[in-house]
Amino acid sequence: MTPFISYLNDLVSLLYPNLCMACSDHAPAHGEIICLRCQHKLPKTNFHLEKENPFTERFWGRISIENGAALYHFIKGGRVQELIHRLKYLGKREIGIRLGQWYGAQLKQSEQFKAIDLLVPVPLHPRKERLRGYNQSALFAMGMAEAMGKPWMKNALIRKAFTETQTHKSRTERLENVLEVFAVNDSKALQDKHILLVDDVMTTGATLEACGMRILEIPGTKLSMATIAIADF
Ligand SMILES: [Zn+2]
């Protein structure tokens, strides 16, 4: 952000107090991004409280994971969609970090997630990340790692090419399509570690599965997954 833009931002927030990033109706408490009402109303999954849950079930017969959970249910037209939209497309980096801190604090209390050694975000293609200026999943991972008191590693995985439009493909075709584009950047750093793979929204799980397969190819690794939201498909 240039000093001028930053000055303008300060001026705007002085004139118009920040509104909740989820509902745009109420003002959040100082330093928060979401109002108290939304903090209560956002559809938490609480999946992290159960070892087997709808998140982990989506990977049955596909890939072996230790634990899996999503912070929220993704509902079309709902507040969580609004949050994700602002995080991905409107430059609101703080949403990723803050949600990560919240979820990290919850996972820290969970017996199942205590064994995690390292957090690794699903990478964006470098060109896409340059355009956006950041990787939203990395921001979420960073917030989580901070709250969990665990290390995270931004470039443990790399995405090698743009994935072509997948809307009209079957799950198997989609998986093949994604498989070839992820690679491990530093397998020494991941060896013998229990990795928490982090993404923004889980839909079919094809991306998480493709990344997870690369991680499990490294000797001694265990795999868990966490996302901001889980969507139906
Ligand atoms: Zn709100």
Side-chain angles (χ1 to χ4, degrees), residues 160-224:
K160 289 196 285 192
F162 271 123
T163 316
E164 55 180 290
T165 308
Q166 304 188 348
T167 328
H168 302 293
K169 295 188 172 168
S170 72
R171 193 180 74 72
T172 321
E173 285 171 326
R174 257 187 295 219
L175 181 58
E176 280 167 3
N177 188 251
V178 177
L179 259 184
E180 57 197 74
V181 301
F182 292 103
V184 172
N185 197 24
D186 183 355
S187 48
K188 273 258 149 46
L190 305 190
Q191 196 172 332
D192 298 318
K193 298 226 160 66
H194 185 165
I195 311 287
L196 181 61
L197 182 62
V198 176
D199 203 2
D200 49 10
V201 182
M202 195 285 240
T203 306
T204 64
T207 306
L208 286 163
E209 184 179 357
C211 288
M213 279 170 146
R214 292 287 169 258
I215 289 171
L216 289 177
E217 282 166 7
I218 304 165
T221 48
K222 282 186 183 170
L223 181 65
S224 289

Side-chain angles (χ1 to χ4, degrees), residues 20-26 34-39 79:
C20 170
M21 297 271 186
C23 69
S24 307
D25 279 338
H26 307 279
I34 297 172
C35 73
L36 269 178
R37 192 162 171 274
C38 284
Q39 284 185 36
R79 291 180 170 96

Side-chain angles (χ1 to χ4, degrees), residues 115-126:
I116 301 290
D117 296 310
L118 177 69
L119 285 80
V120 168
V122 167
L124 285 182
H125 187 275

